Amino acid sequence: MGLKGKMIGQTEIKGAGGDVFHDIISRRPHHLTNMSPVKVKGFTLINGGLGTVGSVICWNYTHEGKEKIGKQIIEDVDEVKQSVRFKMIEGDLMELYKSFIITYHVDKEGDYNLVTWTLEYEKLNENTPHPGTLLDFFLHMVEDIEAHHLKEA
């Protein structure tokens, strides 16, 4: 098994939830602290603008019961595909991985919306775990956003 890997996970989000999800992640990520407070503890825009390529973002989050931090740069935003690609540049993940890229996109067909997360990574060594629990983190965060949105609707 090599050091490079790719993990993909999908989850459905109901109704217009795909539009809401993309809007929150790309333009209103600071709302995640209210929508998914167990996972997302804080958000800081370091440089640039929300949803803008080249912007640098810092996250405080809880993963596997531990407080963590991650700094990322937005590499790509596609409004048509409702996708954003983030490259990790500092933080806890960079202590385990040489490179780590997080991408999501929303597929829509009528009332059916599917959020797909893709994690592309290169482990520092063979002992570094695959990021399966982090993929679960993102999939469950979608459920938190959906539950919050449906409660408000």
Side-chain angles (χ1 to χ4, degrees):
M1 187 119 214
L3 297 178
K4 290 186 177 184
K6 184 179 200 177
M7 299 185 92
I8 300 171
Q10 298 178 315
T11 189
E12 182 181 355
I13 189 166
K14 297 199 178 6
D19 294 333
V20 171
F21 172 81
H22 176 65
D23 181 61
I24 290 164
I25 300 294
S26 66
R27 292 180 200 88
R28 298 183 291 138
H30 50 284
H31 288 252
L32 287 172
T33 57
N34 294 328
M35 296 178 172
S36 189
V38 172
K39 294 173 192 64
V40 182
K41 301 300 181 185
F43 164 86
T44 305
L45 178 64
I46 304 292
N47 187 29
L50 296 176
T52 304
V53 172
S55 297
V56 178
I57 299 166
C58 186
W59 294 94
N60 293 72
Y61 62 100
T62 302
H63 177 235
E64 297 182 316
K66 296 179 184 162
E67 298 288 321
K68 301 198 176 188
I69 191 166
K71 191 184 283 187
Q72 56 191 198
I73 187 167
I74 298 174
E75 287 194 324
D76 185 57
V77 177
D78 186 325
E79 294 299 333
V80 174
K81 293 181 182 177
Q82 291 189 315
S83 70
V84 178
R85 177 181 167 105
F86 303 94
K87 179 180 180 182
M88 300 305 298
I89 55 175
E90 289 180 29
D92 291 282
L93 284 175
M94 300 316 295
E95 293 175 11
L96 298 170
Y97 300 93
K98 184 176 181 179
S99 65
F100 205 98
I101 295 171
I102 303 164
T103 307
Y104 77 81
H105 73 271
V106 178
D107 292 311
K108 297 189 296 183
E109 192 167 315
D111 282 345
Y112 181 76
N113 290 249
L114 192 65
V115 177
T116 302
W117 288 97
T118 304
L119 308 181
E120 299 171 79
Y121 56 91
E122 183 175 356
K123 302 188 297 182
L124 286 176
N125 59 58
E126 287 291 338
N127 297 323
T128 300
H130 292 283
T133 60
L134 192 61
L135 183 59
D136 290 341
F137 172 94
F138 289 119
L139 294 171
H140 290 120
M141 187 174 68
V142 173
E143 293 170 4
D144 292 345
I145 293 168
E146 178 184 56
H148 181 85
H149 176 65
L150 292 175
K151 180 177 74 175
E152 300 231 329

